[in-house]
Amino acid sequence: DARVTQTPRHKVTEMGQEVTMRCQPILGHNTVFWYRQTMMQGLELLAYFRNRAPLDDSGMPKDRFSAEMPDATLATLKIQPSEPRDSAVYFCASVLSGLNTGELFFGEGSRLTVL
Amino acid sequence: AQKITQTQPGMFVQEKEAVTLDCTYDTSDPSYGLFWYKQPSSGEMIFLIYQGSYDQQNATEGRYSLNFQKARKSANLVISASQLGDSAMYFCAMSWHRDDKIIFGKGTRLHILP
């Protein structure tokens, strides 16, 4: 059963600590998205990659967030240093470019709490 | 500007009634897609329906239909004969075929009342 896998599912950390979230996209999917969900802002696009190359990371606070795809099976989102306002659910999603069906395959999300 | 707007933060609807969730968008690209996702309290994202910008007819999937009005740049979701299980957060989203970018609106929380 193909699925997007995200780790960790839950993370509680203290302000100032580094947080790394990982995502394994569905095998064969070449486009990977990172979204952040909060009550106030809904689902915000942070960054996305196609064929491992970053296409848009304008939604990310550049001073503390970074996103990479070390290889086709792994995407990472790092926050350093973390702040309480970063508390949110972070979703990774993947898709095969060009299908244009609208169907993104989402992971279960990583719920981050920064104290 | 690339933007998706959902103006209804929350809605209460009586069971069995039809529901319309509003969504407007802004783009200058001619080739794009519009779609809707449902997020129940469990948190998973469930794909509901998709409409391409060149599709002539409105998309339908079971009880869901997408009322696509291109000139008005709106893509409202219509749920016919609502059920208690329809209570959830609903997100409107837009994709650009040029670069695969996908953005979401802020969502509408739908409550179906028995």
Side-chain angles (χ1 to χ4, degrees), chain A residues 35 37 48 50 56 97 104, chain B residues 37 39 99-102:
Chain A
Y35 294 95
Q37 183 176 12
Y48 78 107
R50 187 166 64 200
D56 188 340
S97 172
L104 273 178
Chain B
Y37 271 82
Q39 186 182 45
D99 58 7
D100 296 316
K101 185 175 182 177
I102 300 176

Side-chain angles (χ1 to χ4, degrees), chain B:
Chain B
Q2 298 176 337
K3 196 174 178 182
I4 288 275
T5 303
Q6 294 181 253
T7 56
Q8 307 150 308
M11 284 184 72
F12 289 84
V13 174
Q14 209 67 40
E15 190 181 7
K16 296 188 177 66
E17 288 184 355
V19 181
T20 298
L21 304 180
D22 295 340
C23 174
T24 58
Y25 61 93
D26 191 13
T27 184
S28 56
D29 274 88
S31 185
Y32 54 89
L34 296 149
F35 48 105
W36 284 86
Y37 271 82
K38 173 184 179 180
Q39 186 182 45
S41 56
S42 58
E44 65 192 292
M45 296 291 286
I46 302 170
F47 171 74
L48 294 179
I49 194 166
Y50 172 82
Q51 176 93 36
S53 59
Y54 293 119
D55 294 342
Q56 294 296 314
Q57 295 194 339
N58 286 344
T60 60
E61 288 288 346
R63 292 186 301 113
Y64 304 108
S65 60
L66 199 153
N67 185 2
F68 181 44
Q69 298 189 41
K70 199 168 183 175
R72 297 180 60 186
K73 293 190 174 178
S74 74
N76 298 342
L77 177 70
V78 180
I79 306 174
S80 62
S82 58
Q83 302 170 355
L84 295 178
D86 295 332
S87 294
M89 179 73 86
Y90 288 81
F91 290 100
C92 179
M94 183 166 188
S95 61
W96 282 266
H97 299 162
R98 169 173 51 85
D99 58 7
D100 296 316
K101 185 175 182 177
I102 300 176
I103 65 170
F104 287 76
K106 292 189 177 183
T108 296
R109 185 166 293 281
L110 177 64
H111 304 268
I112 305 297
L113 304 172

Side-chain angles (χ1 to χ4, degrees), chain A residues 1 4 33 45 47 73 83 85 88 92 100 108:
Chain A
D1 184 25
V4 175
F33 300 82
L45 176 64
T73 64
E83 297 182 1
R85 59 180 166 152
C92 174
N100 298 330
E108 293 179 300

Side-chain angles (χ1 to χ4, degrees), chain A residues 11-19 79-84 86 112-115:
Chain A
K11 175 77 175 179
V12 180
T13 191
E14 292 191 345
M15 183 173 63
Q17 296 298 305
E18 178 179 301
V19 175
I79 309 173
Q80 168 63 16
S82 58
E83 297 182 1
D86 301 329
L112 174 65
T113 303
V114 183
L115 303 174

Side-chain angles (χ1 to χ4, degrees), chain A residues 9-41:
Chain A
R9 292 292 314 282
H10 301 273
K11 175 77 175 179
V12 180
T13 191
E14 292 191 345
M15 183 173 63
Q17 296 298 305
E18 178 179 301
V19 175
T20 298
M21 289 169 273
R22 293 177 174 82
C23 168
Q24 182 176 9
I26 289 175
L27 191 64
H29 283 187
N30 64 340
T31 306
V32 178
F33 300 82
W34 282 106
Y35 294 95
R36 176 172 64 184
Q37 183 176 12
T38 60
M39 290 286 289
M40 295 302 295
Q41 299 301 325

